Amino acid sequence: MEPRARFQAIGRSLPRAGTRRLVAGRGRYVDDIVLPRMVHAAFLRSPYPHARLARVDLTVARAAPGVLAVYAWSDLQDTVRAWQSRSAAFPGLVSPTQTPLADGRCAWQGEPVLMALADTRAAAEDALELAEIEWEELPAAVGLEAALAPQAPAVHPGLANNVAWTKETLGGDPDEAFAKAALVVETQVHLARLTGVTLEPRGLVADWDPAGETLTVHHSHQMPHQMQAHFAEFFGVPAERVRVVVPDVGGGFGLKMHVYPDEIAAIAGAIKLARPVKFIADRLESLASDIHAREHNVRARMALDGEGHIVGFDVDQRHGAGAYSVFPRGSPVESSAALHLVGAPYRFAHFRGRLTIALQNKAMTGQYRSVGHPIAVLVTERLVELAACARGEDGLALRRRNFTPPGETPYVNGAGQRLFDVSHDACLLALERLVDVPRVRETVRSARAAGRALGFGVACYVEMTATGAEAYGKAGVPVSAADSVSLSVELSGAVRCAASVTEIGQGVTQALAQAVADGVGVPVERVLVHTGDTAQVPHGGGAWASRGAAIGAEAAWLAARRLRRNILEAAARLLGADDESLDLRDGTIVDHRGEARLELSELAHIAAFRGYELPEGFQPQLSLMHHYRRSKDLFLPANGVQASLLEVDLHTGLVRPLRHWAVCDCGRVLNPLLVEEQLRGGVVQGIGEALYEELRYGEDGHLETGTLAEYLVPMAAEMPDIEVAHVQTPYDGTSLGAKGAGEAGVAAAPAAILNAVNDALAPHGAALDAVPISPAAVLEALERGR
């Protein structure tokens, strides 16, 4: 049965929406029908990394109290279709079809197998306990290197090997560069798996209206319009009949911009039952099934000439993708970005990069805050420190020598990155003033003389922000890189703004309000911003790639300037004045002397109710919509420098951050408070990546850090003071000149921490090349150094 016909059949079997009617003589109202009550979804997830479902019997589970349904994949196939990760940017990518519930076989621990729908979450979970399943455990490929071994078990049947995708890139002549190099340094860096522990976990409430054949999903997500398109495709519903509502989201960090099987299953349940279905992932589910990130092994070399100039890099990178490539963007996005960002702060001409991505019987990896950047920065800055040590010179001097001079951009480096408006030299100067480097180094020396192990580390970075339309458009992946804003003048003189960007805790609604207020000429408190509802806001990209100010606020500013022109034109026609002689200040139209002529609220009333007072034929346009897509530059490179001062306990191996400094150039800073707190929040996440967070799997594929008792996150009491400073190099391709800032803190903090730890351990002959830096790893390094 075709999807539309199926939904019509469902609709005919249910009562239509009722009305309230007065009961004669009783003075009260009753309902013709009782609206469907919301039901709750719970999932039985695979306890094995790889297993076949030999037998499934749901008879007892379906008869449990309060249960409306228990579904396997076979029960949902008539409602929702499967999907597959494909991208022209990654030709030949191997990623089998994915289904909302396991299709006879589970490929990772935590994969949803069954879904129960019941009056309460507890009843749904109890029902799943009654499901009878016979599991046939299969060999699993778990570790990154083990999965790529020639005789590794196949992650999926029929695969010749577990290689999901490979890539090689070449720039200049790396063979000659390394052959002629005066110095070659090399390292092997490992970054563990981690995930973003959002304050608000993933969740949704899905509601299918069979009468109107409309689907409404209230969703904790970053991109409502993207999900509207996916839901329409998966469920065969016209997109205009799909409404996605994303309220203020309690943190996204990139985790909430993907398609999740359990969420799709919950929506399918809502359609099948014609009842609202609620699913909220608990912390155990989140750690096991939210998108993971990193898990990279990188071997890298850096070549320098006799004067200490970097001439080239040679990078061999391996990445664990999990059981599938994440949909829709694809798991190679992070590893490909990391490969090409190696060396980005420095000028070099020669590059060789090799990337191998492995399928594994683990949860999928995908885009997470500062996609790929911490990997590239960690590799680069570790090599820079090794080179400085080998040359016997200060690491800051080596960095400064290799920065790209401001007047020599734009240029394309050996890795193929086009860089412009980078300001590393200015950022390093600002950092040296902020830190007072001589004083800090004297503190380190004094502490060491007293038997303490203090260390100071620095890391430079480039952050590619505000991705342009070509990145996903040319890859055939439906991810919007544009944003739209609609503005209207209310009768009160306030301005209502509906924007396609979404609020996920980054404060973008405040940035939009500022842009509109300044652009129109009204007080910021007179701007009302609405986001996140596909039925009320125009189409756009939502929240990703640090684009809120660079693209969203730019759209708001351009819309505001157009609205301002329309307002002044209408006022001029009404007052018989020249447009150029009028101005709009704080909601009041004034003449060239600054004298008030007309309140914006009065103009709105005239346009709405007394249009006859305007010249005949003139139609004031006090509402408009503006669509903005950046027409040049695929990315906007922000940049900066971070530094860390910390202490290592030589007896316990514990690392205690003492101070952290961050200097960032994100173009023009529209709201310093928002930018500074974004940087601080990012630094905290970066410290977590450096010291605490690891999704550790055993050799048997079982997640060993599946609760917040084992998966450690940074806590306020453990965090150092974080001082922030700005360098501003406005982007000349937009009116506002803003670049992205939301991910910069994460980009360099792990590298700064690692360099500081190695600085503290250097007098003891020890060094580390992996994050997170656990106490056990520190003690083992000290033992090796003895």
Side-chain angles (χ1 to χ4, degrees):
M1 183 182 294
E2 289 298 316
R4 186 174 179 83
R6 181 177 73 256
F7 296 141
Q8 288 174 338
I10 294 172
R12 284 193 294 271
S13 68
L14 293 166
R16 299 299 181 186
T19 60
R20 295 180 65 83
R21 56 188 172 85
L22 182 66
V23 179
R26 300 195 181 184
R28 64 184 177 86
Y29 287 87
V30 297
D31 293 318
D32 284 333
I33 64 169
V34 177
L35 293 176
R37 288 198 309 171
M38 182 166 66
V39 298
H40 298 262
F43 292 90
L44 186 150
R45 299 176 183 274
S46 173
Y48 301 104
H50 199 194
R52 190 174 68 86
L53 302 172
R55 186 182 72 88
V56 178
D57 187 344
L58 304 179
T59 305
V60 179
R62 285 169 170 163
V67 172
L68 283 78
V70 179
Y71 293 132
W73 168 233
S74 59
D75 302 306
L76 301 182
Q77 292 185 40
D78 64 343
T79 305
V80 59
R81 73 165 187 80
W83 61 91
Q84 190 172 26
S85 181
R86 286 286 181 265
S87 171
F90 313 124
L93 174 65
V94 176
S95 181
T97 300
Q98 299 179 57
T99 53
L101 300 175
D103 185 9
R105 182 183 59 89
C106 303
W108 49 282
Q109 187 185 56
E111 182 174 1
V113 177
L114 303 174
M115 176 178 66
L117 300 174
D119 291 337
T120 66
R121 171 72 178 249
E125 292 178 349
D126 288 345
L128 293 172
E129 293 286 340
L130 301 174
E132 297 179 15
I133 300 180
E134 290 183 7
W135 304 90
E136 181 185 327
E137 193 169 0
L138 301 172
V142 181
L144 174 51
E145 299 300 330
L148 292 172
Q151 302 304 316
V155 172
H156 298 284
L159 295 182
N161 55 52
N162 294 321
V163 176
W165 193 63
T166 61
K167 177 180 184 177
E168 292 192 18
T169 185
L170 191 69
D173 189 343
D175 289 333
E176 183 179 8
F178 275 86
K180 293 182 177 180
L183 173 66
V184 174
V185 292
E186 59 183 293
T187 187
Q188 182 173 351
V189 170
H190 173 72
L191 296 93
R193 275 192 174 225
L194 75 166
T195 189
V197 184
T198 54
L199 186 63
E200 175 192 41
R202 291 189 296 109
L204 57 77
V205 175
D207 185 14
W208 169 252
D209 176 11
E213 296 183 357
T214 57
L215 175 65
T216 301
V217 182
H218 293 259
H219 202 185
S220 181
H221 205 272
Q222 296 174 224
M223 278 149 292
H225 285 100
Q226 175 187 303
M227 298 312 294
Q228 178 191 41
H230 293 321
F231 296 158
E233 181 183 5
F234 291 174
F235 296 103
V237 182
E240 66 273 14
R241 293 183 176 272
V242 178
R243 179 186 181 189
V244 179
V245 182
V246 173
D248 288 353
V249 175
F253 310 134
L255 300 185
K256 297 177 182 176
M257 62 185 197
H258 309 292
V259 167
Y260 285 90
D262 47 18
E263 295 179 354
I264 300 300
I267 297 171
I271 293 174
K272 289 185 73 70
L273 293 182
R275 297 276 293 269
V277 171
K278 179 179 182 179
F279 167 63
I280 304 294
D282 63 27
R283 287 298 176 194
L284 299 180
E285 291 177 299
S286 294
L287 289 170
S289 66
D290 285 358
I291 290 300
H292 296 175
R294 312 299 193 256
E295 191 172 8
H296 286 254
N297 290 340
V298 187
R299 293 178 181 271
R301 299 188 299 154
M302 182 174 74
L304 298 91
D305 65 17
E307 297 178 350
H309 293 103
I310 298 170
V311 295
F313 290 89
D314 185 0
V315 182
D316 188 352
Q317 179 184 174
R318 293 189 168 198
H319 170 210
Y324 302 91
S325 173
V326 66
F327 186 90
R329 285 166 165 78
S331 297
V333 169
E334 177 171 78
S335 44
S336 184
L339 186 69
H340 288 278
L341 283 165
V342 168
Y346 310 108
R347 196 173 185 92
F348 64 96
H350 308 285
F351 184 83
R352 177 186 288 109
R354 294 168 298 278
L355 170 61
T356 304
I357 300 178
L359 293 173
Q360 306 159 284
N361 292 116
K362 291 182 181 178
M364 292 172 281
T365 60
Q367 292 76 47
Y368 168 66
R369 192 176 189 180
S370 196
V371 180
H373 294 76
I375 305 161
V377 177
L378 201 70
V379 171
T380 303
E381 295 301 295
R382 178 69 181 129
L383 289 170
V384 167
E385 286 297 325
L386 289 171
C389 180
R391 287 177 52 82
E393 69 173 324
D394 180 69
L396 298 185
L398 191 149
R399 288 177 172 87
R400 184 170 278 119
R401 181 186 308 120
N402 284 280
F403 289 150
T404 301
E408 296 184 17
T409 64
Y411 92 102
V412 178
N413 67 18
Q417 288 288 357
R418 182 177 182 272
L419 298 166
F420 56 91
D421 294 342
V422 288
S423 57
H424 286 100
D425 198 58
C427 288
L428 185 55
L429 285 171
L431 181 84
E432 289 172 320
R433 290 192 296 267
L434 185 68
V435 173
D436 190 353
V437 173
R439 180 182 58 82
V440 167
R441 285 180 167 163
E442 180 55 37
T443 299
V444 170
R445 283 191 291 269
S446 298
R448 289 176 180 175
R452 298 167 61 196
L454 266 65
F456 177 68
V458 172
C460 302
Y461 69 92
V462 171
E463 180 198 0
M464 294 300 187
T465 74
T467 307
E470 295 88 344
Y472 288 106
K474 290 183 177 180
V477 179
V479 173
S480 175
D483 271 307
S484 304
V485 170
S486 64
L487 300 178
S488 60
V489 179
E490 301 292 301
L491 293 176
S492 64
V495 177
R496 188 174 298 276
C497 168
S500 60
V501 294
T502 46
E503 178 61 72
I504 60 171
Q506 80 278 46
V508 71
T509 51
Q510 178 62 30
L512 293 174
Q514 284 182 242
V516 171
D518 291 349
V520 174
V522 297
V524 68
E525 61 270 14
R526 301 288 286 161
V527 179
L528 295 85
V529 179
H530 301 273
T531 65
D533 186 343
T534 60
Q536 297 184 7
V537 305
H539 192 279
W544 60 282
S546 299
R547 61 197 305 280
I551 298 178
E554 181 72 15
W557 171 263
L558 295 174
R561 299 307 287 179
R562 283 180 55 199
L563 182 60
R564 177 189 179 89
R565 290 194 295 271
N566 291 355
I567 291 169
L568 294 178
E569 180 187 10
R573 295 293 186 97
L574 181 66
L575 299 173
D578 187 341
D579 296 16
E580 300 299 323
S581 69
L582 299 177
D583 197 5
L584 181 56
R585 302 175 188 170
D586 292 328
T588 300
I589 296 160
V590 300
D591 60 22
H592 66 281
R593 296 183 298 273
E595 295 180 2
R597 297 294 304 276
L598 185 67
E599 293 296 321
L600 181 56
S601 58
E602 179 63 15
L603 179 63
H605 274 81
I606 291 171
F609 306 121
R610 307 196 308 275
Y612 53 82
E613 297 183 15
L614 292 162
E616 186 175 351
F618 178 72
Q619 302 289 336
Q621 301 298 313
L622 302 187
S623 298
L624 57 82
M625 197 274 283
H626 190 88
H627 179 80
Y628 172 70
R629 175 188 62 81
R630 192 174 65 250
S631 59
K632 69 171 188 174
D633 299 322
L634 181 58
F635 301 101
L636 302 185
N639 65 269
V641 187
Q642 292 187 29
S644 171
L645 175 67
L646 51 76
E647 182 171 6
V648 177
D649 189 317
L650 299 176
H651 301 289
T652 66
L654 286 170
V655 177
R656 183 165 67 97
L658 303 174
R659 301 281 299 278
H660 200 98
W661 300 269
V663 177
C664 178
D665 184 348
C666 60
R668 181 171 287 115
V669 177
L670 305 184
N671 186 313
L673 181 60
L674 286 178
V675 172
E676 288 175 13
E677 295 315 307
Q678 280 286 299
L679 286 170
R680 288 192 176 94
V683 166
V684 169
Q685 280 189 287
I687 292 174
E689 182 169 352
L691 297 179
Y692 308 116
E693 300 184 50
E694 180 177 8
L695 287 163
R696 187 173 61 252
Y697 285 80
E699 292 184 3
D700 58 0
H702 289 266
L703 181 62
E704 297 176 345
T705 52
T707 77
L708 291 181
E710 300 94 13
Y711 184 88
L712 305 181
V713 295
M715 307 292 284
E718 300 160 339
M719 291 302 99
D721 287 339
I722 302 170
E723 296 186 52
V724 174
H726 303 286
V727 171
Q728 298 191 52
T729 307
Y731 173 55
D732 63 7
T734 60
S735 301
L736 296 180
K739 305 175 188 176
E743 300 168 86
V746 187
I753 292 282
L754 180 64
N755 282 343
V757 167
N758 282 330
D759 183 50
L761 296 180
H764 305 276
L768 293 166
D769 291 292
V771 293
I773 304 166
S774 67
V778 171
L779 294 177
E780 289 171 4
L782 288 169
E783 183 64 29
R784 291 194 300 269
R786 290 192 174 98

